[in-house]
Amino acid sequence: MAKLRILRGLMIVAIGVVLLVVGSGIFDNSYDSVESVMKDKHNIIEDREILQGKLINSTITWDELTEHTVLVVHAVPALGLIKLQVTEPNGEVFEKESTNGFVYHIIEKRPQEQGNYYFNILNLGNEPVNVTVVLGEDPYLSGTCDSASGMNCYVIPAAIGLVIVGMITLIVGSLITVNDFRKKTKPSN
């Protein structure tokens, strides 16, 4: 009976890990779905080739930003390994890598940090890639999602929900496992 008690906690931990991994995976690719409903969307770079080990760079001016802007990079072929590096006006640098040809960065327009945003896209793969860079307003963060947008707007909150539920489930499962293990090892009188 004690073994079954320990197993129930481990099963709950496993469910938590699965929810966490699935939610994180959906969130990492969520802007691929959300891109179709982004507002004020326009291409900054369109179908530009980057040779192996080389990079391209560009600038986003303050005037191009909305309150919640998303910078989306698509690489072809989709298996291209690319790295996006964004430098904000305050000097803070953000880097993200992608092995599936898709990467994004969320930019919040802050009045106290006016200035240009600089970004580089580096081809880390073994062959040339063509990239398209899209800039647009995040419909979820800006609150412009509506029923006409369909389910695409709700991918982000669903992913966040899965991650939160996964973390809670992981914690609860760990506590149950520890508690059951203690009960098992406690000598009975």
Side-chain angles (χ1 to χ4, degrees):
M1 182 72 170
K3 284 185 180 183
L4 288 176
R5 282 191 160 179
I6 292 175
L7 283 177
R8 74 178 178 164
L10 293 176
M11 288 178 13
I12 294 171
V13 166
I15 291 169
V17 168
V18 168
L19 289 172
L20 196 58
V21 169
V22 169
S24 297
I26 292 171
F27 190 77
D28 282 345
N29 294 309
S30 61
Y31 282 95
D32 202 8
S33 302
V34 173
E35 183 181 349
S36 64
V37 293
M38 286 182 358
K39 310 291 184 198
D40 300 323
K41 181 173 69 169
H42 64 281
N43 290 348
I44 296 176
I45 297 171
E46 191 166 351
D47 200 30
R48 187 156 160 208
E49 184 178 59
I50 307 174
L51 299 174
Q52 174 188 357
K54 301 294 181 186
L55 64 87
I56 60 171
N57 53 35
S58 190
T59 303
I60 302 169
T61 63
W62 174 256
D63 297 335
E64 291 179 86
L65 300 175
T66 58
E67 185 179 353
H68 301 284
T69 303
V70 181
L71 178 71
V72 178
V73 180
H74 294 281
V76 176
L79 296 176
L81 178 61
I82 57 173
K83 178 179 180 180
L84 172 65
Q85 181 182 47
V86 178
T87 305
E88 296 193 347
N90 64 4
E92 202 169 348
V93 178
F94 295 92
E95 293 182 347
K96 292 184 179 179
E97 288 185 16
S98 173
T99 57
N100 64 356
F102 174 81
V103 66
Y104 70 92
H105 178 68
I106 299 171
I107 301 172
E108 286 192 51
K109 188 175 186 177
R110 298 182 191 113
Q112 68 274 19
E113 294 178 12
Q114 292 186 23
N116 293 333
Y117 288 73
Y118 303 97
F119 69 91
N120 300 319
I121 303 167
L122 176 63
N123 179 358
L124 301 172
N126 296 325
E127 61 183 274
V129 294
N130 287 5
V131 296
T132 298
V133 180
V134 179
L135 191 68
E137 181 182 5
D138 183 313
Y140 176 70
L141 291 175
S142 64
T144 60
C145 282
D146 56 22
S147 59
S149 301
M151 293 302 294
N152 291 343
C153 279
Y154 305 104
V155 171
I156 295 169
I160 291 170
L162 281 173
V163 169
I164 291 169
V165 169
M167 289 188 324
I168 292 169
T169 305
L170 186 63
I171 292 167
V172 168
S174 298
L175 292 173
I176 290 171
T177 302
V178 168
N179 189 41
D180 289 348
F181 184 74
R182 283 183 183 164
K183 285 179 182 177
K184 178 187 175 205
T185 58
K186 185 186 273 187
S188 56
N189 295 350

